[in-house]
Amino acid sequence: MTTAQLIVNLLGLSAIVWIAWYFWLHKTEGVSATIVGDVQEVAITVKGGYDPDTITVKAGTPVRLNFTRDESSLCSEMVVFDGIDRSVKLPEGETVSVEFTSEAPGEIPFQCQMGMLRGKVVVTR
Ligand SMILES: [Cu+2]
């Protein structure tokens, strides 16, 4: 193997490692909700995904997620919370709040209608 071939192989290998890390191993830290009055609030921007897509809240305190959809893609038109039986339409450019209180720790996933965009609320004690 020549040096050039070796370099190309190493570059290819590092690209594969990076892709594997980015898509499967890399976990976003998540964002803690901000307490506003008696409510834990987080603003979520919807644009090709949910940003932030992991939100940490405390059990027993009302949660308010303020979704703002910053794109016209049909994919993100609805946000669906299976665990709390809620689905909400997100008109482009408007902020829509989703409120709920979780009494028990756990995870409340949410996603677009087709399940392509995903996020979750992590409820802690
Ligand atoms: Cu979708």
Side-chain angles (χ1 to χ4, degrees):
M1 205 187 292
T2 65
T3 311
Q5 281 174 324
L6 186 68
I7 289 171
V8 168
N9 286 337
L10 285 177
L11 284 177
L13 188 67
S14 51
I16 291 166
V17 169
W18 182 83
I19 289 167
W21 173 80
Y22 187 82
F23 287 100
W24 296 303
L25 305 173
H26 171 68
K27 289 241 185 338
T28 43
E29 265 294 294
V31 166
S32 295
T34 313
I35 308 275
V36 181
D38 318 325
V39 183
Q40 324 180 66
E41 224 173 33
V42 165
I44 300 171
T45 303
V46 183
K47 192 175 186 180
Y50 301 108
D51 182 25
D53 63 359
T54 305
I55 297 112
T56 306
V57 301
K58 286 207 177 304
T61 307
V63 176
R64 184 185 296 138
L65 306 176
N66 299 321
F67 286 92
T68 307
R69 181 162 155 251
D70 192 16
E71 64 179 357
S72 54
S73 160
L74 270 180
C75 179
S76 55
E77 195 179 25
M78 297 278 289
V79 61
V80 181
F81 289 76
D82 274 333
I84 54 172
D85 202 17
R86 198 88 61 86
S87 65
V88 178
K89 195 166 186 191
L90 305 175
E92 189 183 351
E94 280 176 41
T95 300
V96 179
S97 297
V98 176
E99 295 184 37
F100 60 90
T101 305
S102 180
E103 299 299 341
E107 287 191 359
I108 300 169
F110 57 89
Q111 59 178 59
C112 75
Q113 246 172 337
M114 312 84 144
M116 278 118 65
L117 315 179
R118 291 167 186 277
K120 67 182 173 194
V121 178
V122 179
V123 185
T124 59
R125 261 184 218 290

